[in-house]
Amino acid sequence: MLRYIVRRILQGVLTFFGATLVVYALMFANQNDPLQALAGERPISEAARAALTERYHLNEPFIVQYGYYMRGIFTGDLGTSLTGRPITQLLDGAWPNTFRLAVMAVVFAALIGIVAGVVAGIRRASIFDHSTLIITLVLISIPIVVLAPLMQLFFGVELRWFPATAGANPTFYGLILPAMVLGAGSLATYSRLTRTSVVENLRADYVRTAKAKGLTRNRVIGVHVLRNSLIPVITYIGVDLGGLMAGAIVTEGVFNIPGVGSQLFRGITTEDGPLVVGFVSVLVIIFIVANLIVDLLYAVLDPRIRYE
Amino acid sequence: MRGKTAIKISAGLAATALLVTACGGGGDDEAGASNAVVSVEVAEPQYLLPSNTNETSGSQVLASLFTPLVDYDADNKPVEVAAESVTTTDNVTWTIKLKDGYTFHNGEKVTADSYINAWNYGSYGPNGQNNSYFWEKVEGWSDLQSEDPDGEEGPQKAPEPKAKTLTGLAKVDDLTFTVKLSAAFSEFKTMLGYTAFYPLPAAAFASEGVVKEDFEEAIIGNGPFKMKGTWQHDSQIEVEQYAEYPGDKPKIQGVIFKIYQALPAAYADLASDNLDVLKTIPTENISSAEADLGDRFKKSAASTFQFVAFPTYQQEFSKPEVRRAISQAINRDEIIKSVFKDSQTSARSFVSPVVAGYREDTCGVNCAFDAAKAKSEYDAAGGPKKITITYNGDGGHKDWVDATCNQLKTNLGIECTGVAEPKFADLLTKLDQKQPIGMFRMGWVMDYPSMENYLGPIYTTDGSSNYYGYSNKQFDTLYKEGVSAATPEEAIAKYQAAEDILANDMPVIPLRFGQNNFGHSTKVKNVEMDLFNRVNLLKIEAA
């Protein structure tokens, strides 16, 4: 098991360097004139341009800029964004919000999705099964750009059950609505995955054996079927958590939560290289860690995997 | 819907009660000022330093923290606020006398040095301040700039400028200083209302000519409000009344500038009474705003001017006849109705209606929609069969550009396509290289209310925003005569004569004048907005 963990961590380190290099190169290639982008529609003065170019090393070649960046990472200094604010400070402000939002979304989606999936799997072809199929299809097919403002208008502005926007220091209550919106798509996927998996495992030999041994129905389903059915779902949740953090742009915008999504969006539109690379580096780390945890959970759920 | 009003009122009462208890501890209830704290929507400001702030969110916050030397009255003429008087005899040397009694929020007295130091910092090239060009007209400005000898890509660094301070600024006594311009400029007093000309306290400087790095986080001004705590990035900026402020007292206790990433979110907060003032109603909500907000949806004049420009250096657009015909083929009113839902107004002049000297319809027959006449004149002048209108795709211009193109197609019988560049900067790059990009969209927001601020940058031969290569010697002469005229009235006469030349040459097609479309909650009243898209915080009151 230990060898397995160490190998996975080393792979993660390599992935980190590869991914940041690619992102940095892409951002570099995409930069036309970040200083003009920062200044908006007004021409930037020669003096201001010279001063800022100097400050952000914009006149240096790509590899030197990447070098500055890597040196910064190892000294715990992620540099400053083109607006002059330190990236670490931006990260401090953005990560907690997005992390809470994403975790709430995953918990919400997993709770409802898995329960609905299990019930639908056990009572295959029942009314419950059919209605969850329809509901999940509807959820998957409504894009979040439509769902988010709709929910906000209905529950926030008209009914006023929830605050219309969550703001910068959101309360748990304020995050419920955005988390539900963000988790809606995942919820549907979780429940479909769980259902298929449960249906498949119910037919497996070990279930028949367990039943033949005279185990109660609850124990067969709760321990034997569920444990094996969760493997594909957990894999998906692991990848999804990273995806939710990166993909919260729309939700964060609609509910005015200053998080990773909105910062990244701003960084890309203003060609703010340091900001984008800083945030993406952290995203990469989260993806790597999430996947590492998933792999370890695998090994816990299915002992065969850890001996591979 | 009927039940909603009751809910709104009770929510409003509850919120007011909360605010009252929250601010009750302050204790200074003098002059009967209300305890209300009002929330105002802003975007995250880029900077909060007068010489570096040139977008509306930052200048809205700064406007609460600072008092300008002059402000503008109902006719947009300058009136003294922090200044006792601004006088000149020759339009070259200006004497500025300060009112006594103004202090910065840290107790420091506002003196002539507060202005001189701030202005020197702002205009010194290597400080890279966005507003440094505002001091261009002051004597000695060019000595504070330096150019990179081999361009910014080259290995050499720009040398240090020749001087560190403007020779045109001189202190007379503690409350008086003079500004000497390098050439006569009759409207210098009007300029002084701009954000860039606020003073800075000695506490702002780490050493001579160097502003402290974190000064922006808790900036100290001379205005009616002072900063409460620090700038909470991406979240909010809170200000409260400054007790020692000698000028007109605001009618509210404080303001929370709530920072929004996107306008629709702010609109949702406004509609549910969680936000008091939204300065710009997002376009997608304009048509429903009347129903959502009733008489709390307001409109007022703004200085924006939108137009389409011709690259006059391109052969096919070099003839004024062609440019006039294209202008006549555009039905401005229809586009404003269908695309902008009447949130802007038609433009038929080359300067905005908000400046003194504006005349309606100076463009005359050239901006009057007449499809038949346009077609015959266009064909006679031999206009191009294919034209494009280039715009920046990030600014929401697609709809009206496409609509304009469709009108040109129908009315002139030519091909027309809208071409999107990802960003305005990309468009500028292509223009710099004189690439044939066809017609393109442009806009202008004024810095100070004067015809000069439109005519100079957009239309003179070396104007800072003249990207279309328009050059008319006679126009330039009239403009210069206006700038150096003895009185504002004389200046306006010259400017108007210059504008008449534009009507004939048509280097650009005026399309629309902007307006502020704003809304407020049930908790506030007397909400007014100025020409710079800023809420007047001295007038606003709790309802």
Side-chain angles (χ1 to χ4, degrees), chain A residues 188-202:
Chain A
T189 321
Y190 295 171
S191 96
R192 298 315 302 162
L193 267 175
T194 316
R195 180 190 173 276
T196 320
S197 186
V198 165
V199 167
E200 224 169 71
N201 284 321
L202 277 177

Side-chain angles (χ1 to χ4, degrees), chain B residues 149-401:
Chain B
D150 50 2
E152 55 168 305
E153 300 290 334
Q156 288 187 55
K157 284 178 189 166
E160 249 190 41
K162 274 183 249 165
K164 286 208 139 175
T165 52
L166 292 165
T167 50
L169 300 180
K171 181 177 172 176
V172 177
D173 59 50
D174 253 11
L175 291 175
T176 319
F177 65 106
T178 58
V179 185
K180 191 168 180 229
L181 307 180
S182 37
F185 178 44
S186 54
E187 280 158 294
F188 181 67
K189 185 176 168 186
T190 308
M191 278 183 88
L192 292 175
Y194 191 70
T195 317
F197 294 98
Y198 294 142
L200 286 179
F205 295 93
S207 61
E208 210 187 310
V210 183
V211 165
K212 279 186 196 153
E213 226 167 77
D214 55 354
F215 180 64
E216 280 175 277
E217 303 297 318
I219 187 159
I220 300 164
N222 64 337
F225 294 96
K226 65 174 183 201
M227 198 108 147
K228 194 172 170 187
T230 55
W231 176 1
Q232 297 168 45
H233 288 275
D234 296 314
S235 169
Q236 61 174 41
I237 298 169
E238 204 174 343
V239 300
E240 58 183 353
Q241 259 206 38
Y242 174 53
E244 274 87 66
Y245 184 69
D248 293 341
K249 291 261 182 203
K251 300 180 176 71
I252 47 172
Q253 183 57 37
V255 185
I256 297 176
F257 297 101
K258 281 175 104 173
I259 296 173
Y260 286 88
Q261 282 29 244
L263 283 180
Y267 186 78
D269 264 356
L270 179 75
S272 52
D273 253 4
N274 285 329
L275 172 75
D276 291 330
V277 186
L278 175 60
K279 296 188 294 157
T280 313
I281 306 274
T283 325
E284 58 261 48
N285 296 105
I286 287 276
S287 39
S288 72
E290 197 89 57
D292 293 346
L293 303 172
D295 59 357
R296 292 182 286 120
F297 171 45
K298 298 239 160 81
K299 294 174 179 178
S300 74
S303 73
T304 15
F305 172 40
Q306 297 279 349
F307 53 98
V308 168
F310 294 102
T312 49
Y313 50 82
Q314 249 177 282
Q315 185 63 38
E316 59 260 53
F317 296 115
S318 57
K319 276 193 201 166
E321 292 80 11
V322 173
R323 309 200 285 249
R324 280 183 229 151
I326 294 178
S327 170
Q328 286 173 32
I330 297 173
N331 187 345
R332 294 162 175 75
D333 296 333
E334 193 191 289
I335 291 178
I336 281 169
K337 213 169 168 195
S338 60
V339 180
F340 293 99
K341 315 281 178 222
D342 290 322
S343 63
Q344 304 198 7
T345 50
S346 307
R348 292 191 179 83
S349 299
F350 295 85
V351 300
S352 161
V354 302
V355 297
Y358 162 82
R359 292 163 300 160
E360 236 170 77
D361 230 353
T362 50
C363 179
V365 68
N366 290 336
C367 290
F369 173 60
D370 188 338
K373 190 160 153 268
K375 172 129 180 70
S376 66
E377 281 184 16
Y378 191 78
D379 291 342
K385 289 276 154 250
K386 259 191 208 173
I387 56 177
T388 56
I389 303 179
T390 308
Y391 60 97
N392 48 312
D394 62 350
H397 297 295
K398 186 176 191 311
D399 289 349
W400 71 263
V401 169

Side-chain angles (χ1 to χ4, degrees), chain A residues 30-56 58-60 80 82-86 89-90 93-94 97 149 152-153 156-160 162-169 249 252-259 261-263 265-266 268-271, chain B residues 1 4 7-8 11 44 46-47 54 124-130 132-134 145-148 152-158 194 217 231-236 258-262 264-269 271-274 292 392 394-395 397 422-426 428-429 441-447 464-465 467:
Chain A
N30 183 40
Q31 267 179 356
N32 288 325
D33 190 350
L35 298 179
Q36 182 58 54
L38 184 69
E41 304 208 345
R42 197 183 279 276
I44 186 165
S45 79
E46 274 311 310
R49 176 178 289 279
L52 291 171
T53 303
E54 187 71 24
R55 194 175 307 160
Y56 297 109
L58 290 176
N59 50 352
E60 310 271 10
T80 51
L82 288 189
T83 53
R85 289 175 60 198
Q89 194 196 337
L90 285 166
N97 284 340
Q152 181 185 50
L153 180 67
V157 177
E158 294 294 334
L159 293 175
R160 304 208 185 170
F162 298 99
T165 63
N169 299 303
I249 293 183
E252 286 180 4
V254 170
F255 293 99
N256 195 41
I257 305 166
S262 42
Q263 293 285 11
F265 182 73
R266 186 163 71 193
I268 291 167
T269 48
T270 57
E271 297 178 15
Chain B
M1 279 300 157
K4 231 170 99 180
I7 297 174
K8 266 185 199 164
E44 165 85 3
Q46 274 181 352
Y47 305 102
N54 62 0
Y124 186 60
N127 290 336
Q129 299 292 294
N130 278 322
S132 74
Y133 65 94
F134 274 94
Q145 318 301 318
S146 70
E147 274 194 25
D148 207 337
E152 55 168 305
E153 300 290 334
Q156 288 187 55
K157 284 178 189 166
Y194 191 70
E217 303 297 318
W231 176 1
Q232 297 168 45
H233 288 275
D234 296 314
S235 169
Q236 61 174 41
K258 281 175 104 173
I259 296 173
Y260 286 88
Q261 282 29 244
Y267 186 78
D269 264 356
S272 52
D273 253 4
N274 285 329
D292 293 346
N392 48 312
D394 62 350
H397 297 295
K423 288 196 196 72
F424 194 69
D426 301 324
L428 292 186
T429 316
R441 95 28 64 180
M442 288 283 290
W444 186 253
V445 188
M446 71 178 186
D447 299 316
S464 62
S465 284
Y467 298 107

